[in-house]
Amino acid sequence: MGDTGTTWPAFEAAEPEFAATVRERFGQYTHHALATLRKDGSPRLSGIEADFRDGELWLGMMPSSRKALDLRRDPRFSLLANPGPGTDMGGGDVRISGRAVEITDPEALDRYAAVAGAPQPFHLFRVEPTEVVRTWVDGEEIVFRSWAPGHPPRTIRRGNDDSPPREDA
């Protein structure tokens, strides 16, 4: 799928350890933050539950919610894992950006609702990641690990001084 995204299973196959870290981080809390684009192009930030099920990452929403209508109009989004209490960040800050593909097949919606216990009606979107990023503190450095479809992962480290950031080999 090139720059438009890939599937969650393709990301897991390409970067199994990174994907496991991301799933673990999202699994620490139920509620996360979803950024969508309003009609005028300005950002909208909403709470959401992200669901890893059947090898995919899903976003379920109430019927006609603003975030669902945003995604129907423009499927681009960014999903931030709940950072948790205090300043610990529970193992880092994790963000997934990409495209949300709405599932409208009634049988697929019924299957999802039965397994997830989701009340119908609802909007269901499958995530196609275009970027996955984890940020954490390692000693005196902040570390950024990022992945995008068709590119090797990158790890950038930056200290708390004027030194330029450096990339791990």
Side-chain angles (χ1 to χ4, degrees):
M1 289 187 202
D3 293 333
T4 62
T6 189
T7 63
W8 184 261
F11 168 56
E12 283 188 320
E15 290 296 321
E17 288 182 35
F18 192 9
T21 298
V22 171
R23 282 182 75 140
E24 178 183 327
R25 185 64 189 81
F26 271 96
Q28 290 178 9
Y29 298 94
T30 302
H31 297 97
H32 308 288
L34 176 71
T36 58
L37 296 170
R38 300 172 191 251
K39 281 183 191 179
D40 67 2
S42 63
R44 182 188 316 272
L45 194 59
S46 307
I48 194 162
E49 295 180 21
D51 185 23
F52 290 91
R53 186 178 304 279
D54 297 328
E56 296 282 1
L57 174 54
W58 302 97
L59 305 173
M61 299 165 206
M62 293 172 59
S64 298
S65 64
R66 296 284 186 197
K67 58 191 163 195
L69 298 177
D70 287 348
L71 290 174
R72 280 181 150 181
R73 186 181 53 262
D74 186 331
R76 293 175 296 169
F77 73 91
S78 201
L79 178 66
L80 177 70
N82 185 326
T87 59
D88 180 46
M89 289 181 26
D93 193 38
V94 174
R95 177 180 48 84
I96 300 168
S97 297
R99 293 175 22 91
V101 177
E102 187 168 18
I103 306 302
T104 57
D105 175 59
E107 290 179 16
L109 292 169
D110 287 344
R111 280 192 307 275
Y112 183 89
V115 174
Q120 291 200 45
F122 61 94
H123 294 284
L124 182 63
F125 295 87
R126 182 179 48 80
V127 167
E128 291 183 348
T130 57
E131 181 184 49
V132 181
V133 178
R134 177 177 178 231
T135 305
W136 73 99
V137 175
D138 182 15
E140 296 297 315
E141 296 180 313
I142 188 164
V143 184
F144 305 90
R145 180 149 176 94
S146 63
W147 174 89
H151 301 281
R154 295 181 64 197
T155 302
I156 308 289
R157 296 174 175 272
R158 190 176 73 206
N160 196 16
D161 57 22
D162 290 337
S163 299
R166 66 183 198 291
E167 187 166 354
D168 287 0

